[in-house]
């Protein structure tokens, strides 16, 4: 009986109230249509972020630094995650229908039946950078899908940190975390105010900084050197800012002999990380 009660949605629960509000809005508007437009999500409670998706939520649960405040999950997702007894978890768990999570994330989000509300991870300062030989630096890359995908590649290739500016960078969000597929919990996020000054500081720490530029004077494989490498990537369209271009040790391009000479920034990052990892290993 206790488990059944845990898995029900009380009449006064957060999601029950959202359902009632949604039904009220529908009754005041146009009749329900078979192919109705996608619905937007709702804002997370103040001071919290909503993270969703099986891999994202599992990684957050396994991260001792992540403070989870609540979970909302479908029966199917609970089985897929092998959740066990939800009462044993250190935060409240509410069993809901998929549509209830849709009301929070929006109907376009692929939440896979699970969502958590958690405190965001706090970015670190450059002084917290450890002895990693490989870092990524983003110069105003603002698309959360791209940043999430970049984090995923960074973790896959063993980069120790992702450095971004305090402004013109996406905040932690469900969209970013879903694109990262759990990588958000596995890489240090370092936030700086002045990117050029941070790059100079990386030079002082022994990093060779290479800015990716489709018109760079040499290919990346022939440019990278040293025992510590920082790859610097610019935003879609604009690329690296002029100050950044003037501060890095070298500008380099990916060797692409095909008709298309540029890649999406997240794809370019994955290729550059592979090249950098081979350079560091002496391959």
């Amino acid at each position: 009986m206790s488990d059944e009660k845990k898995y029900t949605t009380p009449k006064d629960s957060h999601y029950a109230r959202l359902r009632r509000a949604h039904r009220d809005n529908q009754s005041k508007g146009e009749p329900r249509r078979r192919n109705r437009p996608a619905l937007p999500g709702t804002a997370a409670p103040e001071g919290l972020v909503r993270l969703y998706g099986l891999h994202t939520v599992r990684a957050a649960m396994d991260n001792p630094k992540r403070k989870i405040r609540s979970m909302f999950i479908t029966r199917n997702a609970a089985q897929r995650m092998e959740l066990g007894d939800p009462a044993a978890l250190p935060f409240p768990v509410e069993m809901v229908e998929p549509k209830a999570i849709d009301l929070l994330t929006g109907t376009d989000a692929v939440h896979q039946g699970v969502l958590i509300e958690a405190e965001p991870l706090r970015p670190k300062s450059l002084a917290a950078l450890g002895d990693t030989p490989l870092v990524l630096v983003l110069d105003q890359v603002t698309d959360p899908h791209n940043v999430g995908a970049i984090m995923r590649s960074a973790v896959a290739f063993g980069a120790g940190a992702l450095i971004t500016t305090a402004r013109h960078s996406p905040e932690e969000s469900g969209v970013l975390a879903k694109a990262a597929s759990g990588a958000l919990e596995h890489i240090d996020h370092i936030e700086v105010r002045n990117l050029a000054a941070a790059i100079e500081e990386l030079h002082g720490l022994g990093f060779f900084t290479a800015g990716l530029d489709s018109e760079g004077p040499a290919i990346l494989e022939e440019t990278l050197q040293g025992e510590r490498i920082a790859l610097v990537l610019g935003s879609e369209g604009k690329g690296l800012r002029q100050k950044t271009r003037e501060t890095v040790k070298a500008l380099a391009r990916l060797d692409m002999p095909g008709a298309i000479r540029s890649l999406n920034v997240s794809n370019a990052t994955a290729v550059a990380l592979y090249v950098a990892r081979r350079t560091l290993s002496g391959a």
Side-chain angles (χ1 to χ4, degrees), residues 30-38:
E30 297 182 359
R32 183 189 297 268
R33 296 178 180 175
R34 188 170 185 178
N35 295 319
R36 60 186 184 276

Side-chain angles (χ1 to χ4, degrees), residues 123-230:
K124 299 181 178 181
S125 67
L126 194 54
L129 182 66
D131 58 359
T132 177
L134 180 60
V135 299
L136 283 178
V137 182
L138 301 185
D139 185 8
Q140 297 192 351
V141 180
T142 57
D143 188 327
H145 295 91
N146 280 333
V147 175
I150 286 170
M151 284 185 170
R152 186 174 184 176
S153 295
V155 172
F157 286 103
L162 178 73
I163 301 173
T164 67
T165 53
R167 298 179 61 190
H168 305 294
S169 297
E171 295 181 351
E172 184 177 332
S173 67
V175 172
L176 187 153
K178 187 67 169 63
S181 192
L184 180 64
E185 313 294 331
H186 295 287
I187 189 168
D188 285 340
H189 175 201
I190 291 176
E191 195 173 81
V192 299
R193 292 187 177 277
N194 185 303
L195 195 63
I199 292 172
E200 291 288 12
E201 191 169 343
L202 288 174
H203 293 159
L205 295 172
F207 280 92
F208 180 86
T209 58
L212 261 69
D213 187 330
S214 60
E215 302 298 327
I219 63 174
L220 190 62
E221 292 93 325
E222 299 173 353
T223 303
L224 295 180
Q225 57 184 273
E227 298 181 354
R228 305 188 85 182
I229 293 173

Side-chain angles (χ1 to χ4, degrees), residues 15-280:
Y15 287 95
R17 292 195 297 272
L18 280 171
R19 286 198 194 97
R20 289 197 297 271
H22 182 54
R23 287 197 298 267
D24 291 345
N25 288 338
Q26 283 187 331
S27 65
K28 296 175 183 178
E30 297 182 359
R32 183 189 297 268
R33 296 178 180 175
R34 188 170 185 178
N35 295 319
R36 60 186 184 276
L39 296 174
T42 61
E46 186 176 356
L48 300 179
V49 293
R50 288 184 177 135
L51 309 178
Y52 51 81
L54 297 173
H55 294 299
T56 300
V57 171
R58 173 55 69 188
M61 292 174 64
D62 292 340
N63 182 3
K65 297 179 181 179
R66 175 69 76 176
K67 295 181 180 179
I68 300 173
R69 295 307 182 194
S70 57
M71 170 185 282
F72 306 92
I73 191 168
T74 65
R75 293 180 185 276
N76 181 55
Q79 292 176 354
R80 294 177 66 184
M81 293 185 68
E82 299 180 349
L83 197 61
D85 180 12
L89 293 174
F91 45 80
V93 178
E94 187 174 341
M95 189 65 66
V96 297
E97 296 298 323
K99 290 182 179 179
I101 302 179
D102 287 344
L103 292 175
L104 298 181
T105 64
T107 51
D108 284 339
V110 185
H111 54 68
Q112 298 176 296
V114 60
L115 176 146
I116 57 174
E117 293 179 338
E119 295 182 14
L121 298 174
R122 291 188 177 184
K124 299 181 178 181
S125 67
L126 194 54
L129 182 66
D131 58 359
T132 177
L134 180 60
V135 299
L136 283 178
V137 182
L138 301 185
D139 185 8
Q140 297 192 351
V141 180
T142 57
D143 188 327
H145 295 91
N146 280 333
V147 175
I150 286 170
M151 284 185 170
R152 186 174 184 176
S153 295
V155 172
F157 286 103
L162 178 73
I163 301 173
T164 67
T165 53
R167 298 179 61 190
H168 305 294
S169 297
E171 295 181 351
E172 184 177 332
S173 67
V175 172
L176 187 153
K178 187 67 169 63
S181 192
L184 180 64
E185 313 294 331
H186 295 287
I187 189 168
D188 285 340
H189 175 201
I190 291 176
E191 195 173 81
V192 299
R193 292 187 177 277
N194 185 303
L195 195 63
I199 292 172
E200 291 288 12
E201 191 169 343
L202 288 174
H203 293 159
L205 295 172
F207 280 92
F208 180 86
T209 58
L212 261 69
D213 187 330
S214 60
E215 302 298 327
I219 63 174
L220 190 62
E221 292 93 325
E222 299 173 353
T223 303
L224 295 180
Q225 57 184 273
E227 298 181 354
R228 305 188 85 182
I229 293 173
L231 298 171
V232 187
L233 297 104
S235 63
E236 298 275 4
K238 294 181 180 179
L240 298 172
R241 289 177 293 167
Q242 185 61 33
K243 184 63 175 178
T244 304
R245 295 166 62 89
E246 294 171 354
T247 308
V248 295
K249 290 287 188 181
L251 294 172
R253 68 181 188 275
L254 297 176
D255 184 18
M256 292 184 289
I260 295 177
R261 304 300 300 273
S262 64
L263 294 173
N264 170 281
V265 65
S266 63
N267 294 331
T269 300
V271 177
L273 283 166
Y274 175 77
V275 172
R277 181 52 63 186
R278 285 178 61 84
T279 299
L280 291 169

